[in-house]
Structure formats: C-alpha cells, structure tokens
Amino acid sequence: MFGKILKLTWNLFWVGLMIFVVGMLAFRFYTLNHYPSFAEGIVATDKLKEGYKDGNISAITWRMPMELDEEGYFFVHEPIYCQDEKTLIITIRYNDNLLNELGSDKDGENLLLYPSLSYEEAERKLPLTYTYGHAYGLYSYRRYVFENVELSEYEHLYLNIHLEEDYESSPFVILDIYDSIAPTEEYKLSKKDIKALLF
C-alpha cells in the first residue's frame, strides 16, 4: 500500500513538473510575441490631434528589416508613420536583465536612453517625447515620437540608441528600421487611437 502511494506521488510530481515547464515555455513565447495595449497604437501629440480635426489621419506601418539587435538587448515593434504630419512613432522594448548587464542600480523607467534617427547625409533627428510602460515582470517599453521625418526621401532609416547624451560617440545599438523597397501597409486607427486623438 505504501509503495503504491509513493509511486503515485512520484508520478504526480513528474506530471506537475512537466506541466510547469510547458506552462513556463508557453508564457515565454507569449510574452516574446505579444505587446501590451499601452505599447501599441498612436501617441497623441498636439500635431497629431491637430491633424485629426478633419476626422482622419493617413498612416502606414511596415515590417522592419531589423527588429532585434545582435546582442538581443532591444526589440523594435510596429512603426507608425503619419504621412501628412511627418510623424514617426517607434516602440522600443528591452529586457530588464539589461540593467544587470549594464551594472545599473536604476529601474527600467529610470534607465537613461538617448535614441535618435539617422539616414544618409542628413541631420540626426531626436525624439519629441516618449512614454514608458512595464509588463510581465520582464520587459520595459518606451514609445518614441519623432517629428519632421520625410520618409520618402530615404532609402534606409536607422535607429541609434545611446546610453549617454553624447550623440557624436558610437551608439550602444544601431537598428535598421526602414528600407524603402520593403512593402508598407495602411495603419488603421483603433478605437483607443481615436479616443486619444479626440481628448
């Protein structure tokens, strides 16, 4: 009798362990490919609100040539380019383990990042503003807004991420985020986008 109970307990332990491992892997894949709602959509700047007064904003999105840097520190996701307003919105996600890699005693929100856009023989552009969010206990998200970006003028567009406010030094990470020959598609405003633009 005792042997049967021990065997049953042992079998239950292994079944529970397998369920736990499969569950953790499923959660990891889910968080890798899923962005929370606050990390998507329009960031309603004054310029975009003004542009929406006629009831519409013409916007496009595309699959970026480089969504992840070589070291795996930063991901970029769903660029939104509002054509008439020449406004580009980019989401940057970073694993909070980056703080340990950098030896930083800051949290994800207070980690200082200095992104900029660069392209062939053109002035570097700095972001107008950004928002911050955190999810799943794993990732921090920043959404940067760049204005006066004439996308049609460039063959490639690069996102440079510096860890110090010295834009002349080599960036910590460079991501190729736009290729003029890559297909684009219309970005359709969500209900959340429209609400943000109206208020």
Side-chain angles (χ1 to χ4, degrees), residues 4 85 96 108 115 137-139 142 144 153 155 172 175 178-179:
K4 289 182 178 180
E85 293 74 24
D96 288 346
L138 294 171
Y139 295 116
R142 297 196 186 206
Y144 291 92
E153 293 183 359
E155 292 184 6
F172 183 66
L175 291 161
Y178 174 73
D179 185 335

PDB file of all heavy atoms in Angstrom, residues 4 85 96 108 115 137-139 142 144 153 155 172 175 178-179:
ATOM      1  N   LYS A   4       2.465   1.835  -3.393  1.00  0.00           N
ATOM      2  CA  LYS A   4       1.560   2.403  -4.386  1.00  0.00           C
ATOM      3  C   LYS A   4       1.406   3.914  -4.203  1.00  0.00           C
ATOM      4  O   LYS A   4       1.380   4.682  -5.170  1.00  0.00           O
ATOM      5  CB  LYS A   4       0.201   1.724  -4.303  1.00  0.00           C
ATOM      6  CG  LYS A   4       0.201   0.283  -4.816  1.00  0.00           C
ATOM      7  CD  LYS A   4      -1.188  -0.301  -4.755  1.00  0.00           C
ATOM      8  CE  LYS A   4      -1.212  -1.725  -5.320  1.00  0.00           C
ATOM      9  NZ  LYS A   4      -2.559  -2.328  -5.265  1.00  0.00           N
ATOM     10  N   GLU A  85       1.486  64.482 -41.347  1.00  0.00           N
ATOM     11  CA  GLU A  85       2.102  65.142 -40.192  1.00  0.00           C
ATOM     12  C   GLU A  85       3.601  64.872 -40.096  1.00  0.00           C
ATOM     13  O   GLU A  85       4.280  65.428 -39.231  1.00  0.00           O
ATOM     14  CB  GLU A  85       1.419  64.686 -38.899  1.00  0.00           C
ATOM     15  CG  GLU A  85      -0.023  65.133 -38.749  1.00  0.00           C
ATOM     16  CD  GLU A  85      -0.974  64.356 -39.664  1.00  0.00           C
ATOM     17  OE1 GLU A  85      -0.618  63.216 -40.058  1.00  0.00           O
ATOM     18  OE2 GLU A  85      -2.046  64.877 -39.979  1.00  0.00           O
ATOM     19  N   ASP A  96      14.480  43.585 -18.811  1.00  0.00           N
ATOM     20  CA  ASP A  96      15.000  44.228 -17.607  1.00  0.00           C
ATOM     21  C   ASP A  96      16.343  43.654 -17.171  1.00  0.00           C
ATOM     22  O   ASP A  96      17.038  44.248 -16.347  1.00  0.00           O
ATOM     23  CB  ASP A  96      13.978  44.131 -16.475  1.00  0.00           C
ATOM     24  CG  ASP A  96      12.783  45.048 -16.720  1.00  0.00           C
ATOM     25  OD1 ASP A  96      12.886  45.921 -17.597  1.00  0.00           O
ATOM     26  OD2 ASP A  96      11.762  44.890 -16.047  1.00  0.00           O
ATOM     27  N   GLY A 108      13.777  50.066 -14.664  1.00  0.00           N
ATOM     28  CA  GLY A 108      13.593  50.192 -16.102  1.00  0.00           C
ATOM     29  C   GLY A 108      13.158  51.567 -16.547  1.00  0.00           C
ATOM     30  O   GLY A 108      13.553  52.045 -17.611  1.00  0.00           O
ATOM     31  N   PRO A 115      17.799  57.867 -27.821  1.00  0.00           N
ATOM     32  CA  PRO A 115      17.659  57.411 -29.204  1.00  0.00           C
ATOM     33  C   PRO A 115      17.678  58.576 -30.196  1.00  0.00           C
ATOM     34  O   PRO A 115      17.381  59.719 -29.848  1.00  0.00           O
ATOM     35  CB  PRO A 115      16.290  56.723 -29.197  1.00  0.00           C
ATOM     36  CG  PRO A 115      15.522  57.482 -28.171  1.00  0.00           C
ATOM     37  CD  PRO A 115      16.514  57.913 -27.124  1.00  0.00           C
ATOM     38  N   GLY A 137       6.716  41.540 -15.698  1.00  0.00           N
ATOM     39  CA  GLY A 137       7.883  41.402 -14.845  1.00  0.00           C
ATOM     40  C   GLY A 137       9.158  41.170 -15.626  1.00  0.00           C
ATOM     41  O   GLY A 137      10.199  40.858 -15.051  1.00  0.00           O
ATOM     42  N   LEU A 138       9.087  41.326 -16.949  1.00  0.00           N
ATOM     43  CA  LEU A 138      10.236  41.025 -17.805  1.00  0.00           C
ATOM     44  C   LEU A 138      10.705  42.209 -18.632  1.00  0.00           C
ATOM     45  O   LEU A 138      11.896  42.435 -18.780  1.00  0.00           O
ATOM     46  CB  LEU A 138       9.883  39.892 -18.786  1.00  0.00           C
ATOM     47  CG  LEU A 138       9.620  38.513 -18.218  1.00  0.00           C
ATOM     48  CD1 LEU A 138       9.081  37.602 -19.315  1.00  0.00           C
ATOM     49  CD2 LEU A 138      10.897  37.936 -17.642  1.00  0.00           C
ATOM     50  N   TYR A 139       9.741  42.948 -19.201  1.00  0.00           N
ATOM     51  CA  TYR A 139      10.077  43.920 -20.221  1.00  0.00           C
ATOM     52  C   TYR A 139       9.642  45.334 -19.842  1.00  0.00           C
ATOM     53  O   TYR A 139       8.595  45.540 -19.229  1.00  0.00           O
ATOM     54  CB  TYR A 139       9.395  43.568 -21.548  1.00  0.00           C
ATOM     55  CG  TYR A 139       9.863  42.268 -22.157  1.00  0.00           C
ATOM     56  CD1 TYR A 139       8.993  41.200 -22.310  1.00  0.00           C
ATOM     57  CD2 TYR A 139      11.175  42.118 -22.590  1.00  0.00           C
ATOM     58  CE1 TYR A 139       9.420  40.003 -22.886  1.00  0.00           C
ATOM     59  CE2 TYR A 139      11.606  40.932 -23.164  1.00  0.00           C
ATOM     60  CZ  TYR A 139      10.732  39.881 -23.307  1.00  0.00           C
ATOM     61  OH  TYR A 139      11.154  38.711 -23.868  1.00  0.00           O
ATOM     62  N   ARG A 142       9.304  51.607 -24.237  1.00  0.00           N
ATOM     63  CA  ARG A 142       9.316  53.053 -24.464  1.00  0.00           C
ATOM     64  C   ARG A 142       8.818  53.330 -25.869  1.00  0.00           C
ATOM     65  O   ARG A 142       9.182  52.639 -26.811  1.00  0.00           O
ATOM     66  CB  ARG A 142      10.721  53.616 -24.288  1.00  0.00           C
ATOM     67  CG  ARG A 142      11.217  53.442 -22.878  1.00  0.00           C
ATOM     68  CD  ARG A 142      12.396  54.305 -22.589  1.00  0.00           C
ATOM     69  NE  ARG A 142      12.920  53.997 -21.273  1.00  0.00           N
ATOM     70  CZ  ARG A 142      13.595  54.833 -20.525  1.00  0.00           C
ATOM     71  NH1 ARG A 142      13.813  56.054 -20.952  1.00  0.00           N
ATOM     72  NH2 ARG A 142      14.040  54.478 -19.352  1.00  0.00           N
ATOM     73  N   TYR A 144       8.669  56.225 -28.627  1.00  0.00           N
ATOM     74  CA  TYR A 144       9.277  57.499 -29.006  1.00  0.00           C
ATOM     75  C   TYR A 144       8.566  58.102 -30.213  1.00  0.00           C
ATOM     76  O   TYR A 144       8.177  57.386 -31.136  1.00  0.00           O
ATOM     77  CB  TYR A 144      10.757  57.311 -29.319  1.00  0.00           C
ATOM     78  CG  TYR A 144      11.578  56.977 -28.091  1.00  0.00           C
ATOM     79  CD1 TYR A 144      11.804  55.658 -27.722  1.00  0.00           C
ATOM     80  CD2 TYR A 144      12.105  57.983 -27.295  1.00  0.00           C
ATOM     81  CE1 TYR A 144      12.542  55.348 -26.583  1.00  0.00           C
ATOM     82  CE2 TYR A 144      12.848  57.687 -26.161  1.00  0.00           C
ATOM     83  CZ  TYR A 144      13.060  56.369 -25.813  1.00  0.00           C
ATOM     84  OH  TYR A 144      13.784  56.059 -24.681  1.00  0.00           O
ATOM     85  N   GLU A 153      12.166  60.435 -48.565  1.00  0.00           N
ATOM     86  CA  GLU A 153      13.468  60.916 -49.019  1.00  0.00           C
ATOM     87  C   GLU A 153      14.602  59.922 -48.778  1.00  0.00           C
ATOM     88  O   GLU A 153      15.716  60.132 -49.240  1.00  0.00           O
ATOM     89  CB  GLU A 153      13.817  62.236 -48.324  1.00  0.00           C
ATOM     90  CG  GLU A 153      12.925  63.397 -48.722  1.00  0.00           C
ATOM     91  CD  GLU A 153      13.346  64.692 -48.059  1.00  0.00           C
ATOM     92  OE1 GLU A 153      14.331  64.661 -47.280  1.00  0.00           O
ATOM     93  OE2 GLU A 153      12.697  65.719 -48.318  1.00  0.00           O
ATOM     94  N   GLU A 155      16.407  55.935 -48.386  1.00  0.00           N
ATOM     95  CA  GLU A 155      16.400  54.524 -48.740  1.00  0.00           C
ATOM     96  C   GLU A 155      16.403  53.660 -47.484  1.00  0.00           C
ATOM     97  O   GLU A 155      15.802  52.595 -47.459  1.00  0.00           O
ATOM     98  CB  GLU A 155      17.617  54.193 -49.603  1.00  0.00           C
ATOM     99  CG  GLU A 155      17.562  54.839 -50.986  1.00  0.00           C
ATOM    100  CD  GLU A 155      18.720  54.408 -51.850  1.00  0.00           C
ATOM    101  OE1 GLU A 155      19.490  53.522 -51.418  1.00  0.00           O
ATOM    102  OE2 GLU A 155      18.853  54.951 -52.951  1.00  0.00           O
ATOM    103  N   PHE A 172      25.266  52.605 -28.645  1.00  0.00           N
ATOM    104  CA  PHE A 172      25.281  51.300 -27.995  1.00  0.00           C
ATOM    105  C   PHE A 172      24.672  50.249 -28.924  1.00  0.00           C
ATOM    106  O   PHE A 172      25.141  49.120 -29.008  1.00  0.00           O
ATOM    107  CB  PHE A 172      24.482  51.389 -26.682  1.00  0.00           C
ATOM    108  CG  PHE A 172      24.469  50.125 -25.871  1.00  0.00           C
ATOM    109  CD1 PHE A 172      25.625  49.640 -25.293  1.00  0.00           C
ATOM    110  CD2 PHE A 172      23.288  49.418 -25.693  1.00  0.00           C
ATOM    111  CE1 PHE A 172      25.618  48.468 -24.551  1.00  0.00           C
ATOM    112  CE2 PHE A 172      23.265  48.258 -24.943  1.00  0.00           C
ATOM    113  CZ  PHE A 172      24.435  47.780 -24.369  1.00  0.00           C
ATOM    114  N   LEU A 175      19.901  49.999 -35.144  1.00  0.00           N
ATOM    115  CA  LEU A 175      18.910  49.125 -35.769  1.00  0.00           C
ATOM    116  C   LEU A 175      18.451  49.725 -37.091  1.00  0.00           C
ATOM    117  O   LEU A 175      18.129  50.923 -37.157  1.00  0.00           O
ATOM    118  CB  LEU A 175      17.708  48.946 -34.838  1.00  0.00           C
ATOM    119  CG  LEU A 175      17.962  48.136 -33.566  1.00  0.00           C
ATOM    120  CD1 LEU A 175      16.885  48.416 -32.527  1.00  0.00           C
ATOM    121  CD2 LEU A 175      18.007  46.657 -33.880  1.00  0.00           C
ATOM    122  N   TYR A 178      14.009  50.895 -41.447  1.00  0.00           N
ATOM    123  CA  TYR A 178      13.217  51.181 -42.641  1.00  0.00           C
ATOM    124  C   TYR A 178      14.045  50.945 -43.896  1.00  0.00           C
ATOM    125  O   TYR A 178      15.198  51.374 -43.991  1.00  0.00           O
ATOM    126  CB  TYR A 178      12.737  52.634 -42.633  1.00  0.00           C
ATOM    127  CG  TYR A 178      12.026  53.050 -43.905  1.00  0.00           C
ATOM    128  CD1 TYR A 178      10.747  52.593 -44.186  1.00  0.00           C
ATOM    129  CD2 TYR A 178      12.649  53.885 -44.828  1.00  0.00           C
ATOM    130  CE1 TYR A 178      10.094  52.957 -45.358  1.00  0.00           C
ATOM    131  CE2 TYR A 178      12.013  54.262 -45.995  1.00  0.00           C
ATOM    132  CZ  TYR A 178      10.739  53.789 -46.257  1.00  0.00           C
ATOM    133  OH  TYR A 178      10.093  54.150 -47.425  1.00  0.00           O
ATOM    134  N   ASP A 179      13.440  50.266 -44.856  1.00  0.00           N
ATOM    135  CA  ASP A 179      14.028  50.032 -46.170  1.00  0.00           C
ATOM    136  C   ASP A 179      12.984  50.455 -47.193  1.00  0.00           C
ATOM    137  O   ASP A 179      11.854  49.964 -47.175  1.00  0.00           O
ATOM    138  CB  ASP A 179      14.372  48.549 -46.319  1.00  0.00           C
ATOM    139  CG  ASP A 179      15.092  48.239 -47.621  1.00  0.00           C
ATOM    140  OD1 ASP A 179      14.915  48.997 -48.587  1.00  0.00           O
ATOM    141  OD2 ASP A 179      15.822  47.239 -47.663  1.00  0.00           O
TER     142      ASP A 179
END
